[in-house]
Amino acid sequence: MVELETGGFRNLICSYIIDVEKPLLVESGPTNSIPKLLSGLEELHVKPQDVEYVAVTHVHLDHGGGAGTLLKHLPNAKVIVHPRGLPHLVDPERLWPSSQSVLGFISEVFGKPEPVAKDRIITATEGTFDLAEGAKLTVVETLGHASHNLSFHESFNGGIFPGDAAGTYIPEFNVVVPTTPPPFRLDIALASLDKLMSLNPTVLYFSHFGIADNAVQRLKDYKAQLQLWGDIAEEGVSRNQSLQQIRDRIVAEDKVMSQIADFVKNHRIYSKTMLENGVLGFMEYTKHKQTAVSP
Ligand SMILES: [Zn+2]
């Protein structure tokens, strides 16, 4: 695991290096953190020219945003991404303004993505990549957080890299919090969690942030937490409540959120991504669902 310390924030974003015969990175991380990731490779004595794959769970700036910059330093590596992520890697010009509008100042902390040449991209929604004698990385399509979120299962320890499909792990408190910006899809996210649970993973390698044991229980708890947020948002939207009112009820009724409310409220990044964008994702999902079923 490489602590990327993006923008000076610790415990926020990390990448992973699988140091085998054909070294593989999971998550390029954001553009501004590429020097930090390269020093992680150096520390492990992994030569940049030996890196075979960079698997990105999705193309949001904090996960795959740095892929273009990273590939300039890894002459033989290819990026593994969901097919719906490919156009954004090849031409990040559309992703950047939409990221700026959703993330505000945080997009500047992450940095503007550089393009990736199309012939250096492998798209996948399933299948396995051979890494070393008998060791494999299996692609699992886990949509919901994004329309193109992949998870990766590794056969060494039976762990899963979920990207943002299993929430944000806050190691300071050993808890998980929903990561659900618009256009979040609750129904699809829940199905993705079932998919991950069915693989019976031993550990979760969170991109935010770090390695967590007790993986199946965490996925189960995350599912219940998403359902709770969904119920509160649905009721709030039907009563025309504001984002603030719905958020306050979530903080009061979700045991995890009540426990870490002060930490999240005072966190420059999480106060926006969890307490604003995350709640908004549920509200928009509810509205979308209502318009979808009305005649
Ligand atoms: Zn993320």
Side-chain angles (χ1 to χ4, degrees):
M1 183 187 112
V2 185
E3 156 68 277
L4 295 181
E5 244 181 303
T6 309
F9 290 92
R10 292 190 64 86
N11 289 8
L12 183 69
I13 311 174
C14 57
S15 292
Y16 293 89
I17 301 171
I18 303 184
D19 182 11
V20 286
E21 195 188 320
K22 298 175 177 179
L24 175 140
L25 308 187
V26 179
E27 310 287 46
S28 66
T31 305
N32 287 347
S33 310
I34 296 306
K36 191 82 196 187
L37 178 53
L38 292 170
S39 58
L41 283 175
E42 204 179 315
E43 210 174 298
L44 286 176
H45 308 290
V46 175
K47 293 192 196 97
Q49 63 269 28
D50 290 345
V51 175
E52 181 110 351
Y53 302 114
V54 178
V56 299
T57 59
H58 59 302
V59 303
H60 289 168
L61 298 187
D62 44 336
H63 299 260
T69 310
L70 177 62
L71 254 61
K72 288 182 176 172
H73 300 272
L74 310 179
N76 300 310
K78 294 209 164 163
V79 179
I80 301 168
V81 72
H82 190 282
R84 276 196 280 271
L86 176 136
H88 299 290
L89 288 186
V90 174
D91 177 15
E93 283 306 316
R94 271 193 316 136
L95 183 67
W96 179 240
S98 71
S99 304
Q100 284 177 306
S101 81
V102 175
L103 291 171
F105 80 96
I106 302 169
S107 56
E108 302 293 340
V109 172
F110 293 163
K112 192 177 175 186
E114 295 187 278
V116 180
K118 208 171 182 176
D119 61 0
R120 298 193 65 187
I121 299 176
I122 301 169
T123 59
T125 57
E126 56 178 13
T128 57
F129 292 84
D130 289 320
L131 301 179
E133 283 296 284
K136 285 180 171 46
L137 190 84
T138 304
V139 177
V140 188
E141 189 182 46
T142 46
L143 313 180
H145 166 78
S147 63
H148 61 281
N149 192 105
L150 297 177
S151 296
F152 303 105
H153 177 273
E154 51 81 15
S155 67
F156 296 95
N157 308 306
I160 284 177
F161 301 90
D164 282 343
T168 293
Y169 177 59
I170 304 185
E172 292 94 324
F173 295 89
N174 189 24
V175 296
V176 170
V177 174
T179 313
T180 54
F184 172 65
R185 286 290 306 269
L186 176 61
D187 51 347
I188 299 174
L190 295 175
S192 295
L193 288 167
D194 288 336
K195 219 178 197 183
L196 292 180
M197 278 187 261
S198 75
L199 296 168
N200 208 15
T202 50
V203 291
L204 296 169
Y205 306 101
F206 287 94
S207 309
H208 319 286
F209 175 96
I211 303 169
D213 61 0
N214 216 355
V216 175
Q217 187 60 46
R218 275 182 212 282
L219 294 169
K220 231 181 251 178
D221 292 346
Y222 187 54
K223 203 176 156 188
Q225 196 181 20
L226 288 183
Q227 279 161 327
L228 174 69
W229 285 44
D231 291 346
I232 295 172
E234 190 167 337
E235 203 190 305
V237 166
S238 73
R239 291 187 190 172
N240 277 321
Q241 285 183 338
S242 65
L243 187 148
Q244 201 175 335
Q245 287 172 307
I246 293 174
R247 181 192 66 197
D248 290 349
R249 226 190 111 189
I250 287 173
V251 171
E253 290 185 29
D254 177 348
K255 272 189 244 132
V256 169
M257 289 309 285
S258 346
Q259 186 197 339
I260 61 166
D262 287 338
F263 170 81
V264 176
K265 279 177 190 160
N266 293 318
H267 194 289
R268 280 184 62 225
I269 305 261
Y270 287 159
S271 56
K272 174 144 183 72
T273 55
M274 289 172 187
L275 295 176
E276 288 181 30
N277 296 357
V279 176
L280 197 62
F282 276 95
M283 291 174 71
E284 292 197 358
Y285 168 72
T286 296
K287 289 174 192 165
H288 163 89
K289 206 173 65 169
Q290 285 169 349
T291 25
V293 294
S294 62

